[in-house]
Structures are given as C-alpha cells and as structure tokens.
Amino acid sequence: GQNIDQPTEMTATEGAIVQINCTYQTSGFNGLFWYQQHAGEAPTFLSYNVLDGLEEKGRFSSFLSRSKGYSYLLLKELQMKDSASYLCAVRDRNYGGSQGNLIFGKGTKLSVKP
Amino acid sequence: NAGVTQTPKFRILKIGQSMTLQCAQDMNHNYMYWYRQDPGMGLKLIYYSVGAGITDKGEVPNGYNVSRSTTEDFPLRLELAAPSQTSVYFCASSSWAGTANYGYTFGSGTRLTVV
C-alpha cells in the first residue's frame, strides 16, 4: 500500500531555517511534490523532485532520496507569511491515471514566531 | 487567467439533499481531479478524469458521481447528502503527464456542511 508520513506541527523563529521531513512508501514512485497551503486557502505548488538530489528555488529547497523513501523541504530566512501547512505528495504509477495520481500526506503545520 | 474556478464557496445541505459542485478550468488541461480534505487528514482523491468523456474512481468515491462532457468542466454530484460528507472539496487540474514536472492547479475550494 501507500503511506506518507510527515510531522504534524513545527514551530520556528522568524529569520531562521526550518526543515520539514517526509518519508514515503509507494509501489510505483514517479515523483514527489511539495505544496503550501495557508489556512482556508487552496494548496499551491512549491517544488517537484523526481531524481535524487536537491532542487533550489529561492528561499525554498527540496531534497529527495529515492532509495531511502525520504524527502525534505528546507525553508530559509523564515518570514511570518511562511506560517502555513506544507503538504508532501507522491505520484504513484499504481494509483490511477497514465503517469499516476498524487497521494498526499496529512501536512505539517508550520508556525513562524517573531 | 482564471485558472480553476469552483462554485459555490460555501454551502449548507440538509441530510438527504443533493447538490452539484461546479468546477471549470481555462488552461486546456486534460487531467482534472476532485479531492476532499478533512481536518487533520490529507487530501483524499474522490474521482479523476484524464479527458473529456473519461472518468474513474479515486480512493473515496462512494456517495459521489462525476461527468466530463467538455475539457473545461468537471462537476461533482452529491446524491443523498450525509453528515460524513461534511468537508472541504477541492477541484484541481493538470496538463498532460508527458510534461516533466507538472503540478496540480487547485481551485479555491467549496466548504460543505451537511446537517
């Protein structure tokens, strides 16, 4: 079956760095996504990894290790507006669709304090 | 560019009533999806479509129906609403899987309460 685990909540200080981990077990891995979701709003796409290594996008970076079933999202120079839930999602070829639909983790609620 | 448009934003239904949640996208995306999100839970896939005329069940399809008569529209029908269907519903779309790093574009959501 499929399983995605990420911490439920995290707290960090403005200006600091925070790392949100995600571990997964899927039968047909075909890419990993990170989404940001502010309270009461829709998820918005942050990053995508399909090969091992680090992808950097401004203050946000995402890392993938397929052999370990592990990813992390790194947020640098935290700002108050980064307070949101961060959703890890895995595309699984065996979950329908031609390339696989996304399976979402429960999300990590990040609170940024002054 | 409207993206993915969902209506209504909020709705209260009585047990046993029916309704249709509307979803439209203007990005010419072939793939469309309906998810529900309950507090503390991940997004769960209800139904998806890979193109006009083609739909398939996701993880939690019971109590719902969909149709896809055009590329743009993907309505979700709730028949005989039950309290267990109280949730936030998100519609999403994406381009052909052949694109290397496509992500989903989500609508703003419909908050549904069944009483």
Side-chain angles (χ1 to χ4, degrees), chain B residues 46-60:
Chain B
I46 306 171
Y47 270 95
Y48 68 98
S49 169
V50 301
I54 307 169
T55 62
D56 209 345
K57 295 177 182 178
E59 187 180 354
V60 289

Side-chain angles (χ1 to χ4, degrees), chain A residues 28-44:
Chain A
F29 178 82
N30 193 23
L32 187 141
F33 296 76
W34 284 96
Y35 283 82
Q36 181 189 59
Q37 185 177 25
H38 284 102
E41 297 183 9
T44 55

Side-chain angles (χ1 to χ4, degrees), chain B residues 33-50:
Chain B
Y33 314 85
W34 275 105
Y35 283 88
R36 60 177 287 173
Q37 187 176 39
D38 300 311
M41 303 298 291
L43 289 154
K44 299 292 185 185
L45 183 63
I46 306 171
Y47 270 95
Y48 68 98
S49 169
V50 301

Side-chain angles (χ1 to χ4, degrees), chain A residues 1-5 22-33 64-70 88-95 99-105:
Chain A
Q2 305 111 348
N3 192 44
I4 300 175
D5 286 315
C22 172
T23 58
Y24 64 88
Q25 291 175 305
T26 59
S27 54
F29 178 82
N30 193 23
L32 187 141
F33 296 76
L64 175 66
S65 168
R66 289 172 296 169
S67 62
K68 295 181 179 175
Y70 169 70
C88 175
V90 172
R91 189 165 67 199
D92 188 330
R93 289 190 187 86
N94 298 321
Y95 194 55
Q99 296 288 328
N101 293 322
L102 294 191
I103 305 165
F104 286 83

